[in-house]
Amino acid sequence: IYKGGNTYNTIKNLKKKLNVKKNKYQIVLQEQITKAIKAYFDVVFSYRTVLANENNMKNLNKILEIVTVKYDNGAASIGDLTAIKASVSNAQTQLTKVRSKFTESMRYYEYTVGENYIRTLPYEKNFNINVSTFDLLYERGIKRNSTIMNYYDSIDAEKFNLKSKESSFAPKLDFEVSLDNVMDKEGYEEREQAFNALFRLTFNLYNGGKDKNKILNSYSAIRELNFNLEEEKKKLKWNISKLFTSIQSTNESLTSNISEVIALRKMVEAYWEEFNLGQQDLQALLQGHKQLNSAETELIKYENNNITDFFTLLGYTGDLLAFFDLDPIHPKFIDFSKSS
């Protein structure tokens, strides 16, 4: 009838522990999604790097052809020919490196996504990377981050566990009912039945301090969980702050970097026209191509870092699964046999 709230608190404890398991499942799923996202964008941007370097190589080979013809006709020096050949060799080495990186990215993407990776080959790279203020992001993270939620649920579970242990000192009231059948009592021809009812009240007076030690251990566990929670909040704040600053600064850098690439392309086009007319020297044209290739590569790097930071930030604020419309708690997600 009454056990000092033991049954109630045990059920509450189990419910909170179930929430902890669900959160751990979400954390594992989120880790796998983050891994797939990184693999996805490694393919996207390493491929763009290959294209940029192939275009640079194409232009340098074109210059080499022109300088070779001029050299054969005595219109260019051996120094000019040597300089362009060195630039082509250097560009070829760089192209080999980025192609190798692209191949590695593809292999890792295949490993991460699975055998049907070709069906999900990445081409999308444009996302709306606008973030709100840091305070709003941190507040959202405190409310939705799976690791933070796990600590809150673990603390609540341990508090219910503590109440369950404390109930061992409360009186327990049991009600017992029994029915006795007497079949062979002397002097009676018929069966005799006896209905018994008993209220039993028990107290835990002394058990060697076992229950007290259990309670002390529970208090210690709660203090440890609270300490870890505060540390996790500090860690969350630092990570969100770092990513927020990175995204903001990268967005600003991207604007100037895009303008730089556009200006350098126009400059190289002008150099080409002047070079063909004999009004521009070779070194200026080679330097222009080198600057343009570096700027294009840097732009790709900025875009890659920016979008990776964005999705990492979504993970910390607890919005990553929702971004992809994933509900890991839904029965159709857990049991694929129920999916349509």
Side-chain angles (χ1 to χ4, degrees):
I1 295 177
Y2 179 71
K3 295 180 66 177
N6 178 274
T7 303
Y8 172 82
N9 290 309
T10 299
I11 293 173
K12 287 291 186 180
N13 171 266
L14 292 173
K15 287 183 178 179
K16 289 297 179 179
K17 284 185 176 180
L18 177 60
N19 288 340
V20 170
K21 296 295 183 182
K22 289 179 179 179
N23 284 332
K24 286 183 177 180
Y25 173 60
Q26 291 189 38
I27 291 172
V28 171
L29 181 62
Q30 184 172 290
E31 289 174 350
Q32 295 304 311
I33 291 175
T34 302
K35 185 188 297 184
I37 287 172
K38 187 179 183 305
Y40 178 96
F41 288 116
D42 275 348
V43 173
V44 169
F45 292 104
S46 61
Y47 179 64
R48 285 186 59 198
T49 305
V50 169
L51 293 180
N53 279 272
E54 285 179 344
N55 186 57
N56 182 54
M57 189 70 189
K58 177 182 177 181
N59 288 324
L60 290 177
N61 278 321
K62 185 178 179 181
I63 297 173
L64 176 59
E65 291 177 5
I66 296 173
V67 173
T68 301
V69 171
K70 286 186 175 182
Y71 176 76
D72 291 340
N73 294 324
S77 66
I78 185 66
D80 289 339
L81 183 60
T82 304
I84 181 58
K85 284 183 176 180
S87 295
V88 170
S89 297
N90 182 269
Q92 183 61 55
T93 301
Q94 186 63 28
L95 180 58
T96 301
K97 288 181 180 179
V98 296
R99 280 175 174 170
S100 176
K101 175 65 169 60
F102 174 64
T103 302
E104 290 176 6
S105 299
M106 283 291 293
R107 295 291 175 264
Y108 184 71
Y109 184 67
E110 178 184 0
Y111 163 76
T112 304
V113 178
E115 294 181 358
N116 294 325
Y117 76 101
I118 294 179
R119 298 181 183 177
T120 60
L121 280 179
Y123 296 102
E124 186 177 9
K125 64 180 181 63
N126 296 317
F127 294 88
N128 182 22
I129 309 180
N130 290 321
V131 295
S132 58
T133 64
F134 166 74
D135 291 336
L136 289 176
L137 289 170
Y138 178 62
E139 181 181 352
R140 190 168 181 82
I142 290 294
K143 293 179 180 179
R144 293 175 57 86
N145 182 273
S146 296
T147 303
I148 297 292
M149 294 299 98
N150 243 8
Y151 276 113
Y152 279 122
D153 285 332
S154 296
I155 291 170
D156 288 341
E158 193 57 44
K159 286 180 178 179
F160 285 120
N161 187 35
L162 171 62
K163 290 180 180 180
S164 179
K165 292 174 180 178
E166 288 175 338
S167 67
S168 62
F169 291 98
K172 293 180 177 58
L173 180 63
D174 298 311
F175 180 59
E176 300 177 2
V177 177
S178 63
L179 180 64
D180 296 335
N181 288 317
V182 181
M183 306 294 294
D184 57 353
K185 188 173 182 181
E186 186 178 351
Y188 288 87
E189 296 180 357
E190 297 180 357
R191 181 177 62 181
E192 180 180 344
Q193 291 184 331
F195 180 80
N196 304 309
L198 173 66
F199 284 98
R200 186 187 299 275
L201 183 64
T202 58
F203 290 89
N204 180 9
L205 297 178
Y206 179 73
N207 70 345
K210 292 181 179 180
D211 290 321
K212 184 177 180 180
N213 289 334
K214 290 179 181 179
I215 290 174
L216 291 175
N217 287 336
S218 192
Y219 274 119
S220 177
I222 291 173
R223 283 195 297 270
E224 182 179 356
L225 286 169
N226 276 313
F227 175 81
N228 291 336
L229 172 61
E230 293 306 313
E231 289 299 308
E232 192 63 33
K233 286 181 179 179
K234 293 177 184 177
K235 181 180 176 182
L236 177 68
K237 188 174 184 179
W238 161 244
N239 284 319
I240 290 179
S241 174
K242 181 173 60 175
L243 290 167
F244 176 78
T245 303
S246 176
I247 291 172
Q248 292 289 86
S249 62
T250 303
N251 281 337
E252 294 175 2
S253 299
L254 279 171
T255 302
S256 59
N257 192 253
I258 290 171
S259 299
E260 180 187 7
V261 169
I262 293 173
L264 285 171
R265 285 174 179 170
K266 291 180 179 179
M267 181 190 74
V268 169
E269 288 178 4
Y271 280 3
W272 262 108
E273 292 179 4
E274 295 171 356
F275 179 75
N276 290 328
L277 295 173
Q279 298 174 355
Q280 185 62 264
D281 62 23
L282 175 64
Q283 293 300 324
L285 181 59
L286 292 178
Q287 185 62 28
H289 274 291
K290 184 177 180 180
Q291 286 181 283
L292 175 58
N293 183 249
S294 296
E296 288 176 337
T297 303
E298 194 69 13
L299 175 61
I300 294 169
K301 180 181 176 182
Y302 276 136
E303 290 178 339
N304 189 6
N305 291 340
N306 203 32
I307 201 164
T308 303
D309 286 345
F310 173 67
F311 282 104
T312 304
L313 180 62
L314 289 182
Y316 281 118
T317 58
D319 296 306
L320 184 61
L321 299 181
F323 184 90
F324 294 101
D325 294 324
L326 295 178
D327 182 8
I329 308 302
H330 197 284
K332 289 185 178 181
F333 188 87
I334 298 174
D335 183 0
F336 293 106
S337 65
K338 297 180 181 178
S339 301
S340 58

